[in-house]
Amino acid sequence: MPYVELTEILNELKPVHRQIFSRNIQETLTPNDTQRNTLIVAGVYFLVILVLWHIPYLKVIIYPFKLLTVGFHEMSHAFMGVLTCAHIHSIELDPDEGGSTRMSGGIPWLTLPAGYLGSSFIGACLIACGFNTNASKVATIVLAVFFLFTLWWARRNWLTWLLIAGMSGLIVLFWFVGGGIALRYLVLFIGVMSCMYVVWDVIDDTLARKVNTSDASEFARLCGCCPSRVWGFVWLIVAVVFFALGVIVGIAAFKQNAQQQKTDASKFLPVPGKTTSGTVALNPSSLSLSFVALLLSTFIY
């Protein structure tokens, strides 16, 4: 085939390839009915959290989830510290929605921004998993592992123990409702809450008012090139991007409708007490006792 004819054919195929690629992207990112419902619920979560955040007496409703997101923040500091060979002395949460991670060693260039960036990444992952029941189950198992590490580092902080015990109980409870559907919406709520808390905390600590003891101020002193508000703004943009990516990944990766998710969830880590072919029924009381025993063994050790 002459070179000119081949070139002409390729030129004719290029628009077709672009059209197919564009159509595939459009189909992938177009939410189905179940995903639209999930987006609506996420939007309601956003508005409810935004309202409750500023009402003096009603904001106690989301207080435990605020503390949980603070825990994500401190846990992200600690895990980055471990990855950079730091020694983690302790993690502490306080009733005023604050927290601290004491460590020695590590790379401050990485451990300081890890708090905001890590917790926003966790929130984005939870939002994405909130689009699918089985993914939400996996997410809670991963959270359980993180909880155990956090309890080890915060074994002398009673508030952290109380918070994680309460959240673990809530997760176990929601696992029983609707074959895991309630668990999916809980994971989605925690994800939205985590991302919103990062955005609000960055704005409150660095942009609206400068807090001299914030991560941004410490990072600004470490770098010496930009003020804390600049770093706060950068972290804010990253948090918003993570928020959007969580939604996009959830839409692109989990295209199953509600019935398909229900069928798959009945086969993957089924609700304790229900039996399916090839699965073993679990007793809720045995799960609770096992969890309590695991917490006590961690504390005693």
Side-chain angles (χ1 to χ4, degrees), residues 173-251:
L173 175 63
F174 274 58
W175 198 302
F176 286 85
V177 180
I181 298 299
L183 182 68
R184 179 165 74 87
Y185 288 115
L186 176 64
V187 168
L188 181 67
F189 179 82
I190 295 174
V192 173
M193 182 75 193
S194 182
C195 285
M196 286 188 65
Y197 192 88
V198 171
V199 171
W200 177 256
D201 203 41
V202 170
I203 292 175
D204 189 45
D205 282 354
T206 63
L207 301 181
R209 60 188 181 92
K210 184 178 179 180
V211 178
N212 293 327
T213 57
S214 67
D215 292 342
S217 62
E218 294 295 328
F219 194 71
R221 278 194 287 269
L222 177 67
C223 295
C225 59
C226 299
S228 61
R229 285 187 173 89
V230 172
W231 292 115
F233 180 75
V234 171
W235 297 348
L236 174 64
I237 296 300
V238 174
V240 172
V241 170
F242 274 143
F243 199 138
L245 286 177
V247 174
I248 293 172
V249 171
I251 293 174

Side-chain angles (χ1 to χ4, degrees), residues 34-100:
T34 301
Q35 291 175 325
R36 289 192 189 96
N37 292 336
T38 303
L39 289 173
I40 292 173
V41 173
V44 172
Y45 284 164
F46 182 89
L47 293 177
V48 169
I49 292 170
L50 193 63
V51 171
L52 292 179
W53 209 295
H54 302 285
I55 298 179
Y57 296 103
L58 294 181
K59 65 181 181 181
V60 69
I61 298 173
I62 60 173
Y63 176 75
F65 296 97
K66 282 186 176 183
L67 286 181
L68 181 63
T69 56
V70 174
F72 288 159
H73 180 101
E74 302 304 330
M75 184 175 64
S76 299
H77 280 308
F79 270 93
M80 182 55 69
V82 170
L83 293 177
T84 56
C85 301
H87 175 68
I88 310 301
H89 299 287
S90 66
I91 288 178
E92 293 183 2
L93 302 181
D94 65 64
D96 294 328
E97 302 172 17
S100 64

